[in-house]
């Protein structure tokens, strides 16, 4: 089911195999008819993760990058819509040689072609393919069929891992295996027998439960992997390693055993566990709530980047979700921000809640609270500065107010053409672009180089007509595109830490290589706390 940990399990399996010296890549299959994740609702689906080559993908691609410490590109992501689009285009091009094109076998064959292409491009020894959704759903049956066909053609080269949840109802106090038994029967009906069952639960799976699962699911006890809840997702590879899962997979695939090296990962987890000091970070956003529940998946890369920076600074990062709508309804609430050691305003779109974000930014600037603005957070910081420091009281972005007298943020020319033609999907400024840093800036001190490359996802930009006025009042243009036409980073002078980026630095942060801007934010937050 959604949220049970398929993505983290896939990434963790990749990590422990990588630690044995194998080259690993990972693919995500989303059973949505959307062509990519860019048009999916972030509250329902979670973050849109942008790859180095500009694809808008599922957040699990981010997990793969963070755990494997490699760039995962567009070939490693597919959706139902993307697969069908390819098959229909090939049919139109007469690439099927006049055959009647059918859902089966041609859709599963296209899935297999894409898996093989990604594996070959990555020159991988082992390719992990995560099928999204829940067992028994109509949407993913064709992807399971692709797996069945691959296994039938090459049984020694393909293994199946089922990730299943074992609930412990509080009224009973007993771990229940029936949902897992039912899940196995469902994949059996699709022609698949799991080689391993990764058992997710609040606590470790005991011997009686393993015996029951083995009896009813046709899997030996050694192939039942206990994966209980842990304090940090970065512990999961070590949990699977203790279960000797890598050795068992290597044996099943008839590969040669290799020496293990998980020392860097073990040090990372040790640093996370040893941290006793805490810094409190407020994330001011609007993609949080659904009914009575908070869903942080819309900002998962931001959360993980903060954790990486916390480990680098040897502190725990406590995150509070602050809904910017609340400040618009009751402006006096913004004073609560004085209780935070740092503030982050992440990316987003649209007008809802932005005046509340601008209030939060103003409070952070005036009260010297370390601030990091990401994409929209940079644009709103520019608007706040224009309004309250430069006296341009009605300064705005044309995204929200097309007729504003002071459009300090406006649409990029090519993006205006896209919107005029109603070309929305996968048309933003996407992927990695270079940036040149001012050697006098705080950003340069953190990056320790003047040329960087970061990932983008936006249609609007800093309006260069206002450069002179904003610079004169103390805004620092710390990073520009190589042709100096696009403002990539702003800073506020005489502030302990106030940085806004047009790009999304969180997308390139990794636990073993934390992003310098997040490391700088947490260092400044820790200093403020002291």
């Amino acid at each position: 089911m959604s949220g049970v940990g398929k993505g983290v399990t896939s990434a963790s399996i990749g990590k422990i195999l990588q630690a044995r010296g194998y080259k690993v890549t990972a693919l995500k299959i989303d059973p949505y008819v959307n062509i990519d994740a860019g048009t999916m609702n972030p509250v329902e689906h979670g973050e849109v993760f942008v790859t180095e080559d500009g694809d808008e993908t599922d957040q699990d691609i981010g997990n793969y990058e963070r755990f494997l410490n490699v760039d995962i590109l567009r070939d490693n992501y597919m959706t139902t819509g993307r697969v069908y689009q390819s098959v229909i285009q090939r049919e139109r091009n007469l690439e099927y040689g006049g055959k009647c094109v059918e859902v089966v076998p041609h859709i599963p064959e296209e899935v297999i072609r894409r898996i093989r292409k990604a594996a070959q491009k990555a020159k991988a020894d082992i390719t992990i393919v995560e099928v999204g959704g829940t067992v028994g759903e109509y949407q993913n049956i064709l992807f399971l069929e692709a797996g069945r066909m691959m296994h039938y053609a090459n049984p020694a080269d393909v293994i199946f891992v089922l990730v299943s949840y074992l609930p412990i109802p509080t009224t009973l106090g007993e771990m229940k295996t029936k949902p897992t038994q039912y899940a196995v029967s469902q994949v059996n009906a699709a022609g698949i027998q799991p080689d391993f069952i990764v058992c997710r639960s609040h606590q470790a799976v005991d011997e009686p439960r393993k015996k029951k699962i083995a009896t009813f699911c046709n899997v030996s006890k050694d192939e039942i992997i206990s994966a209980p809840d842990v304090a940090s997702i970065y512990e999961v590879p070590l949990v699977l390693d203790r279960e000797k899962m890598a050795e068992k997979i290597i044996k099943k695939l008839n590969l040669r055993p290799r020496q293990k090296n998980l020392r860097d990962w073990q040090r990372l987890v040790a640093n996370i566990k040893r941290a006793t000091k805490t810094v409190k970070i407020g994330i001011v956003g609007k993609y949080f709530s659904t009914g009575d529940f908070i869903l942080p998946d819309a900002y998962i890369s931001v959360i993980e980047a903060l954790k990486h920076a916390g480990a680098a600074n040897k502190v725990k990062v406590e995150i509070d979700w602050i809904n910017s709508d609340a400040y618009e309804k009751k402006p006096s609430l913004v004073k609560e921000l004085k209780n935070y050691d740092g503030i982050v305003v992440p990316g987003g779109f649209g007008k809802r809640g932005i005046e509340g974000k601008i209030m939060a930014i103003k409070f952070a600037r005036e009260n010297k609270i370390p601030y990091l603005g990401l994409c929209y957070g940079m644009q709103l910081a520019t608007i706040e500065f224009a309004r309250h420091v430069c006296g341009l009281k009605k300064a705005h972005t044309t995204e929200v107010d097309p007729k504003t007298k002071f459009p300090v943020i406006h649409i990029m020319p090519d993006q205006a053409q896209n919107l005029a033609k109603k070309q929305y999907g996968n048309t933003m400024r996407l992927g990695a672009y270079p940036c040149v840093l001012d050697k006098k800036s705080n950003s340069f001190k953190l990056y320790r180089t003047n040329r960087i490359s970061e990932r983008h996802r936006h249609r609007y930009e800093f309006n260069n007509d206002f450069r002179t006025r904003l610079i004169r009042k103390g805004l620092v243009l710390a990073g520009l595109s190589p042709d100096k036409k696009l403002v990539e980073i702003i800073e506020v002078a005489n502030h302990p830490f106030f940085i806004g980026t047009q790009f999304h630095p969180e997308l390139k942060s990794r636990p073993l290589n934390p992003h310098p801007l997040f490391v700088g934010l947490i260092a400044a937050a820790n200093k403020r706390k002291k």
Side-chain angles (χ1 to χ4, degrees), residues 365 380-396 406 408 466 470 475:
R365 180 181 57 78
L380 296 180
T382 303
I383 294 167
E384 188 282 321
F385 192 90
R387 286 182 185 179
H388 303 119
V389 179
C390 300
L392 309 177
K393 291 186 178 179
K394 294 191 176 180
H396 224 309
F406 303 114
V408 293
F466 293 88
L470 271 62
L475 193 72

Side-chain angles (χ1 to χ4, degrees), residues 35-54:
I35 300 299
D36 53 57
T39 54
M40 296 180 193
N41 186 322
V43 174
E44 294 175 10
H45 184 256
E47 172 188 78
V48 175
F49 187 85
V50 179
T51 60
E52 196 78 357
D53 57 349

Side-chain angles (χ1 to χ4, degrees), residues 45-110:
H45 184 256
E47 172 188 78
V48 175
F49 187 85
V50 179
T51 60
E52 196 78 357
D53 57 349
D55 199 12
E56 294 177 300
T57 71
D58 179 80
Q59 61 187 14
D60 283 319
I61 297 293
N63 279 325
Y64 307 157
E65 287 203 353
R66 288 187 282 270
F67 279 70
L68 299 177
N69 201 26
V70 296
D71 290 337
I72 303 290
L73 304 178
R74 67 173 62 242
D75 286 330
N76 289 51
Y77 180 65
M78 72 178 94
T79 64
T80 295
R82 195 169 282 193
V83 172
Y84 269 86
Q85 187 183 53
S86 295
V87 170
I88 291 167
Q89 189 60 54
R90 289 179 66 197
E91 183 274 329
R92 295 287 82 190
N93 295 343
L94 297 179
E95 292 178 38
Y96 288 101
K99 290 181 182 177
C100 294
V101 180
E102 301 179 81
V103 171
V104 178
H106 294 110
I107 295 298
E109 285 175 353
E110 171 64 13

Side-chain angles (χ1 to χ4, degrees), residues 22 52 55 110 138 169 302 310 318 327 359 374 382 418 458:
Y22 289 99
E52 196 78 357
D55 199 12
E110 171 64 13
Y138 175 78
V302 176
E318 179 186 330
Y327 295 157
M359 290 179 202
L374 311 171
T382 303
N418 287 335
H458 64 106

Side-chain angles (χ1 to χ4, degrees), residues 29 40 49 72 138 164 176 233 249 267 288 293 326 344 353 395 408 448 462 475 479:
I29 295 174
M40 296 180 193
F49 187 85
I72 303 290
Y138 175 78
S164 184
K176 308 302 288 184
I233 59 170
I249 289 173
R267 277 195 294 271
F288 295 137
F293 299 93
V344 174
V408 293
R448 298 181 182 179
F462 186 107
L475 193 72

Side-chain angles (χ1 to χ4, degrees), residues 27-34 77-84 103-112 114-115 129-134 137-151 158 160 187 190 192:
L27 284 82
K28 175 65 188 283
I29 295 174
D30 255 340
Y32 297 102
V33 180
N34 302 64
Y77 180 65
M78 72 178 94
T79 64
T80 295
R82 195 169 282 193
V83 172
Y84 269 86
V103 171
V104 178
H106 294 110
I107 295 298
E109 285 175 353
E110 171 64 13
V111 173
I112 294 168
R114 285 170 172 267
I115 291 170
V129 184
E130 178 191 349
V131 180
T134 303
E137 286 182 330
Y138 175 78
Q139 293 98 314
N140 57 29
I141 191 69
L142 292 171
F143 299 114
L144 299 183
E145 176 64 5
R148 184 200 65 77
M149 289 167 65
M150 290 184 77
H151 183 265
V158 179
F160 294 100
V187 290
I192 291 170

